[in-house]
Amino acid sequence: MSKILFVMTGVDHWTLADGTKHPTGFWAEEAVAPFTAFKAAGHEITVATPGGVVPTVDRGSLAPEVNGGQEGADEVAAALASLSELQHPIPLEEVDLDAYAAVFYPGGHGPMEDLAVDPASGRILIDALDSGKPLAVVCHGPAALLAATNADGTNAFAGYRVAAFTNAEETQAGLAGRAKWLLETRLVEAGVDVQVGEPWVPNVVVDRNLVTGQNPASSAPLAAEVLKKLA
């Protein structure tokens, strides 16, 4: 089968408006659900991060209350521990997009810190979009789209319909009032057509080769859409 590139945050914090470093990283379910689905379908996974650093999981994403109870939390933690590819990422700067059939960006607040301003990630996103390959991005992962700027300064995703973590969800999660900026707002300012669904309910939007999901619950259905495109 083919290879899928996972582009992941390389930070373990998100800097809030008052300078506080909020502990974060990637959200477990958003990596585990697609990773598991892609591997089960026979695809290989390569992880890439800025500088090739091993990605940090947001410890909050391993809590029972966000995994349907302790049993679910244990299952996610066990699945995460089995993903050996996470321990051997390549630097984003060395990615050869021709080697991959699809590109996937999980979320967590980490991308708000690094991928939102990472030029290497921005180039990968533009090249993936132009290639016609499936490009999938979920939850806070769409923060990375903000770095995908054309030579004239416009955003490469302007006019695309996109699902992303909403202002309402950020408010309910308790961090909106402390954030330097909000993802939904910034995407709209960049000309992206954000398709807002109900908070915490799966919402997957497909626009050409771009597949996006609003929140952690969207991860598994998003992966299913990518597999349809790879079939």
Side-chain angles (χ1 to χ4, degrees):
M1 299 295 282
S2 52
K3 295 173 69 175
I4 297 176
L5 179 70
F6 268 49
V7 178
M8 301 182 68
T9 180
V11 299
D12 62 3
H13 67 276
W14 176 34
T15 306
L16 301 176
D18 64 358
T20 301
K21 291 185 176 182
H22 175 70
T24 188
F26 69 90
W27 197 259
E29 180 182 359
E30 296 168 24
V32 167
F35 212 111
T36 303
F38 296 154
K39 295 274 279 192
H43 300 288
E44 294 180 33
I45 307 291
T46 297
V47 175
T49 63
V53 304
V54 175
T56 298
V57 65
D58 187 319
R59 304 305 299 180
S61 68
L62 300 176
E65 54 266 31
V66 297
N67 288 292
Q70 189 61 54
E71 183 177 348
D74 291 343
E75 290 176 359
V76 167
L80 193 62
S82 74
L83 307 184
S84 59
E85 292 89 342
L86 289 174
Q87 302 304 313
H88 307 284
I90 64 172
L92 269 185
E93 300 78 6
E94 298 177 10
V95 166
D96 176 9
L97 195 63
D98 290 341
Y100 303 99
V103 179
F104 172 68
Y105 278 68
H109 281 104
M112 301 277 282
E113 184 78 16
D114 60 353
L115 298 181
V117 294
D118 189 287
S121 173
R123 284 193 295 274
I124 289 170
L125 286 165
I126 292 173
D127 290 346
L129 195 65
D130 291 345
S131 73
K133 298 175 181 181
L135 170 60
V137 195
V138 68
C139 201
H140 286 92
L145 307 186
L146 298 171
T149 51
N150 298 312
D152 63 0
T154 59
N155 190 280
F157 292 87
Y160 275 80
R161 292 182 297 109
V162 169
F165 201 69
T166 65
N167 291 354
E169 286 167 321
E170 202 72 83
T171 299
Q172 291 178 20
L175 286 168
R178 302 174 62 196
K180 288 183 179 179
W181 51 275
L182 297 177
L183 179 56
E184 178 190 331
T185 299
R186 188 66 65 86
L187 287 170
V188 170
E189 290 172 350
V192 177
D193 183 5
V194 179
Q195 304 287 297
V196 177
E198 290 296 316
W200 316 113
V201 175
N203 178 30
V204 175
V205 174
V206 180
D207 189 344
R208 289 156 276 187
N209 61 315
L210 179 65
V211 184
T212 52
Q214 179 172 314
N215 44 38
S218 305
S219 301
L222 176 144
E225 289 293 338
V226 173
L227 290 173
K228 285 181 190 176
K229 287 183 171 290
L230 289 172

